[in-house]
Amino acid sequence: MAGGALVVHGLPGPFHAVVDEAGDLLDACDFRACAARCEAALPWVEALGDRSTAGYLRYVGALALVELVELDRAGELLEELLGAPAGQDPLWRAKALALAAEIAFTRGRPARGVEHLAEALGLLESTGSRHVNRLSATMASGLALQAAGVHPEAEVLLRRVLADVPGTPGVSELNVLPELVLLVAERAAGAQLRGEPAEADHQWGRVLELSLRWRRRGVLEGEASQVLRSSAAEALAWQRLGDHAAASAAGAAVGSGLLGAARSGALLGRVEGVMARLHLAGEAHHRGHAAAARTHLDEALAETRRTEPGVWAYTVLAALAELDAEERRSLHGEDARPDRWKELAQALLVRTAASSRAIASELEARRRAARAADAHDAAALAVLTDPLTGVTNRRGLDEALRAAARDGTEVAACFVDVDRFKAVNDGFSHEVGDEVLRRVATLLVDVTRGHDLVARYGGDEFVVLSGHPRDLAALGQRVVDEVAALPWAQVAPGLRVSVSVGVTGPLAAHAVLASADAAMLDAKRRGRARAVVRRAS
């Protein structure tokens, strides 16, 4: 893995040695050699007509160039890949589109990024394979969303990949956990900059939990570099939560410690290098060593130019501003007032967040438009579609059940009910309630991946109907978890939403809804915000 990319080795084609060598160089983080190997091999691979290997080399070469921050050339390789003749594997196309979107967002071209990412997400939605290529494409899309600053939606995709790791041969949690930790850490740092201490503490707690899991997995698999990187995240999380003893212990737990790692360049070019220096600066400041703290922060600021500026650069600027303010107080007795550098960092963060919300809205609009465009009969679709949420309505659900009954097909069902929905309407507004229903419906469509029928049963109730063999119990729990993880505070401050889910089947079509409804009511009785499975007799 490099830069969060899951790369499939051993593609079809006669040039297995070239494919394996390029993949191995990428895995070893020898990005310069990887890019050179890919570009040197491309002309003669293409001359011999091996399109699959040529596509692989372009994708892996682009990944390596992104790590080297050579985005122009990376973009050229991806454009060549995307412009190849028709017949591409849709998941490979989705991966290339997502990486192209990440580059576009990083270079400040959001319109191009949205165009690429919308197509990538559409391909993911319409493809049902659980192959590693699907995980890779999902991961790439999550990282593109992260580059756009659309953090909650990015986290949903990365957690989906993490959940699928155990059932996918050749994939480790170490392919996902580092990116998930860095994503949640960005959310934590952003909340801290915005002056939201409760939200920041919540997110730093999640960083701590994930980084400990990351470190344990690194130890288990004998990956010293992963242990070092996870320790940087762990140490900063402990520090931001106010436990300096635990932070120092985490920072000293590996080799020569984070200070030695920073000095040796072991974390050079990684966000974890910025996090390590922020931790070291915080420890120095805690001990009253302002000069050492400033040195670490200056190094951190320089490091952000090699990694990802964004929230980490703003965080370092804010910390430097606090040091400046303290120095003025000690020398001149001035009032403790935030420096203008800190105000600038906060203003830039607000502007970035507004841009991210606009990107998220545009992506959702494009995805809804694409779903509508795929319908063969728009008039028939309108009759069977719920106008508020865009999913199938009760009539469409009834027709699907009648068709299953005619065919003698057994089906399984998830019955989803929004908990205390009346309180949402009464306490916030009916407009907020409508948005809750829309977001729950969108999430259900996302997690079912186009396999199953998602219908609004009525009011605050939805049904997922499946004729495909799958683990619906796991699906039910995922719906519960991902609804809870959605950024409801963006809809209305203080809003929290949960769902109760009943799962049953496969059963005869005439009996499945009653059974799923009974399981959902059981989930309500057990305290809500959970999934209950009613086994088919």
Side-chain angles (χ1 to χ4, degrees):
M1 186 197 82
L6 297 175
V7 181
V8 186
H9 292 245
L11 284 178
F15 301 103
H16 299 298
V18 174
V19 165
D20 289 341
E21 183 183 358
D24 289 342
L25 288 168
L26 189 72
D27 288 342
C29 298
D30 192 347
F31 304 122
R32 183 66 63 191
C34 177
R37 188 72 186 99
C38 291
E39 297 203 64
L42 263 172
W44 51 270
V45 167
E46 288 190 312
L48 293 171
D50 186 352
R51 288 180 180 171
S52 63
T53 299
Y56 177 89
L57 292 174
R58 282 194 170 90
Y59 180 71
V60 171
L63 283 172
L65 290 165
V66 167
E67 294 290 340
L68 295 167
V69 203
E70 295 182 15
L71 301 184
D72 287 339
R73 181 56 187 144
E76 289 171 7
L77 284 176
L78 290 170
E79 291 299 330
E80 292 168 8
L81 176 56
L82 293 171
Q88 284 183 335
D89 181 317
L91 289 174
W92 269 98
R93 181 168 179 81
K95 288 197 291 187
L97 284 163
L99 185 58
E102 181 181 350
I103 292 171
F105 289 132
T106 302
R107 297 172 74 187
R109 299 176 180 175
R112 190 65 177 272
V114 167
E115 179 185 348
H116 286 322
L117 187 53
E119 184 181 347
L121 292 171
L123 289 169
L124 271 177
E125 191 173 294
S126 62
T127 308
S129 167
R130 270 179 62 92
H131 187 269
V132 64
N133 262 336
R134 180 179 178 80
L135 266 67
S136 178
T138 304
M139 184 100 167
S141 297
L143 296 178
L145 284 166
Q146 181 180 2
V150 187
H151 292 139
E153 290 81 355
E155 183 175 346
V156 167
L157 290 186
L158 294 186
R159 285 192 176 276
R160 191 173 297 164
V161 175
L162 187 62
D164 283 345
V165 163
T168 309
V171 181
S172 164
E173 287 190 350
L174 292 179
N175 293 120
V176 192
L177 281 171
E179 301 302 332
L180 188 55
V181 169
L182 297 182
L183 172 63
V184 178
E186 278 191 25
R187 298 183 69 176
Q192 208 151 25
L193 277 173
R194 293 191 302 270
E196 301 171 1
E199 176 65 11
D201 285 350
H202 170 65
Q203 298 295 348
W204 282 119
R206 297 172 66 226
V207 172
L208 182 59
E209 177 186 353
L210 287 165
S211 62
L212 289 170
R213 181 175 173 179
W214 178 11
R215 180 154 64 88
R216 286 193 298 269
R217 177 55 61 178
V219 170
L220 186 65
E221 297 190 17
E223 294 283 353
S225 65
Q226 299 279 357
V227 175
L228 174 63
R229 293 166 60 195
S230 66
S231 297
E234 179 191 346
L236 185 60
W238 278 122
Q239 184 184 97
R240 294 305 166 102
L241 291 169
D243 193 332
H244 289 273
S248 295
V254 286
S256 58
L258 290 180
L259 179 58
R263 286 174 174 167
S264 70
L267 295 172
L268 190 68
R270 293 191 177 278
V271 175
E272 295 94 325
V274 179
M275 298 173 79
R277 287 173 171 80
L278 281 167
H279 155 71
L280 293 168
E283 291 301 291
H285 182 263
H286 181 66
R287 295 187 176 95
H289 302 153
R294 185 178 295 279
T295 297
H296 288 308
L297 289 173
D298 286 340
E299 291 171 347
L301 190 60
E303 190 67 21
T304 63
R305 300 188 185 104
R306 285 189 287 265
T307 55
E308 302 168 27
V311 70
W312 294 111
Y314 306 156
T315 297
V316 176
L317 284 173
L320 284 167
E322 291 292 350
L323 279 181
D324 289 342
E326 288 185 9
E327 186 176 326
R328 288 197 302 273
R329 284 198 304 272
S330 64
L331 291 175
H332 308 294
E334 294 183 12
D335 291 336
R337 182 181 177 278
D339 188 279
R340 292 193 66 82
W341 283 110
K342 184 172 183 179
E343 293 173 358
L344 175 62
Q346 290 171 332
L348 288 171
L349 189 67
V350 169
R351 184 175 177 180
T352 301
S355 174
S356 299
R357 286 194 295 271
I359 289 171
S361 297
E362 177 64 18
L363 273 172
E364 183 56 32
R366 283 176 178 252
R367 293 174 73 187
R368 289 184 180 179
R371 288 174 192 142
D374 287 341
H376 296 296
D377 188 339
L381 182 66
V383 172
L384 302 176
T385 300
D386 175 56
L388 176 64
T389 62
V391 300
T392 301
N393 60 15
R394 177 72 172 271
R395 179 174 175 179
L397 175 63
D398 290 342
E399 288 198 8
L401 287 169
R402 281 195 293 271
R406 283 194 304 270
D407 296 339
T409 303
E410 290 191 334
V411 290
C414 285
F415 207 111
V416 181
D417 183 275
V418 180
D419 295 328
R420 299 185 175 91
F421 185 67
K422 185 177 183 301
V424 173
N425 280 334
D426 294 346
F428 292 91
S429 71
H430 285 275
E431 289 77 12
V432 169
D434 287 348
E435 183 61 21
V436 167
L437 295 176
R438 280 190 288 266
R439 294 198 178 202
V440 170
T442 298
L443 184 142
L444 290 173
V445 171
D446 288 343
V447 300
T448 56
R449 302 174 179 176
H451 284 302
D452 309 318
L453 177 71
V454 177
R456 185 180 178 197
Y457 189 70
D460 58 351
E461 296 174 330
F462 296 86
V463 171
V464 178
L465 200 65
S466 178
H468 301 272
R470 59 187 305 187
D471 186 355
L472 281 179
L475 174 64
Q477 188 57 50
R478 179 176 293 184
V479 169
V480 171
D481 294 341
E482 293 196 9
V483 166
L486 285 174
W488 295 112
Q490 292 180 5
V491 179
L495 176 65
R496 293 182 182 275
V497 177
S498 66
V499 293
S500 297
V501 179
V503 181
T504 193
L507 290 173
H510 73 274
V512 71
L513 283 190
S515 180
D517 187 30
M520 182 274 292
L521 292 173
D522 192 15
K524 294 278 191 187
R525 284 191 292 270
R526 296 187 192 187
R528 300 182 174 89
R530 67 193 64 218
V532 169
V533 180
R534 186 176 177 128
R535 299 296 176 188
S537 57

